[in-house]
Amino acid sequence: MARQPDNKSADKSAANLKSDDSALIRELALLLDETSLTEIEIERAGLRVRVARNVTVSAAMPAGFQPGPVAAATAVATAGADLAKHPGAVPSPMVGTAYWSPEPGAKPFIEVGSKVSAGQTLLIIEAMKTMNQIPSPRAGTVTQILVEDGQPVEFGEPLVIIE
């Protein structure tokens, strides 16, 4: 009579391998938390493990927030004609995320109706975790802000209208 192979030792070996993998993943996840990294990849003995986490940044709105004239101007501006050709348009010099203020909760750099001078910071664009100040190319009055706070922007996209 033929004897069946003993699968118990193979099952124990696979179970140990799975628990070792699980321990490695847990250890890497803890390392992510300790170092503030967003992903880690390791390769050992032909086994490659990559652990990553999604990081989202959001700004909290104050209780009872009512959109003011800036939001209204933004809505009107985006619904209007092609503002990139406007003579007072300030285009984005890079791809990134536009912010109105230096930090969440701080006073915005500009508002609709603000008088600005050449070189004054209008917005900040975050690109590759670097905050880039966008200076005013000329003196004048801000008539429209064309981007929302925290909005992704493209290269050449109009940000502000200064007349």
Side-chain angles (χ1 to χ4, degrees):
M1 177 190 242
R3 185 172 171 203
Q4 293 291 332
D6 184 15
N7 285 337
K8 289 183 183 178
S9 63
D11 289 343
K12 284 183 184 178
S13 161
N16 284 342
L17 185 60
K18 285 181 184 176
S19 73
D20 288 346
D21 292 348
S22 176
L24 176 62
I25 292 169
R26 288 179 200 278
E27 184 179 331
L28 291 174
L30 286 172
L31 190 59
L32 278 179
D33 287 336
E34 291 171 1
T35 60
S36 299
L37 294 173
T38 55
E39 80 178 58
I40 296 175
E41 186 171 338
I42 187 171
E43 186 172 349
R44 244 193 316 193
L47 171 69
R48 179 180 288 185
V49 177
R50 179 176 170 264
V51 178
R53 70 169 149 203
N54 291 333
V55 177
T56 56
V57 177
S58 64
M61 290 299 219
F65 175 75
Q66 295 290 325
V70 172
T74 302
V76 170
T78 55
D82 185 15
L83 294 170
K85 294 179 180 155
H86 190 285
V90 177
S92 176
M94 64 190 71
V95 174
T97 303
Y99 294 104
W100 289 354
S101 59
E103 59 186 34
K107 183 178 180 252
F109 291 110
I110 58 168
E111 296 175 348
V112 172
S114 297
K115 298 226 181 281
V116 296
S117 57
Q120 179 180 340
T121 300
L122 301 173
L123 302 164
I124 289 178
I125 295 182
E126 178 186 7
M128 297 178 61
K129 305 213 186 265
T130 301
M131 299 298 185
N132 301 283
Q133 295 181 359
I134 306 305
S136 174
R138 64 189 149 279
T141 302
V142 175
T143 59
Q144 294 179 344
I145 299 174
L146 306 173
V147 294
E148 292 292 328
D149 189 37
Q151 174 183 329
V153 294
E154 298 289 326
F155 174 80
E157 179 178 342
L159 303 170
V160 176
I161 303 290
I162 298 175
E163 293 182 354

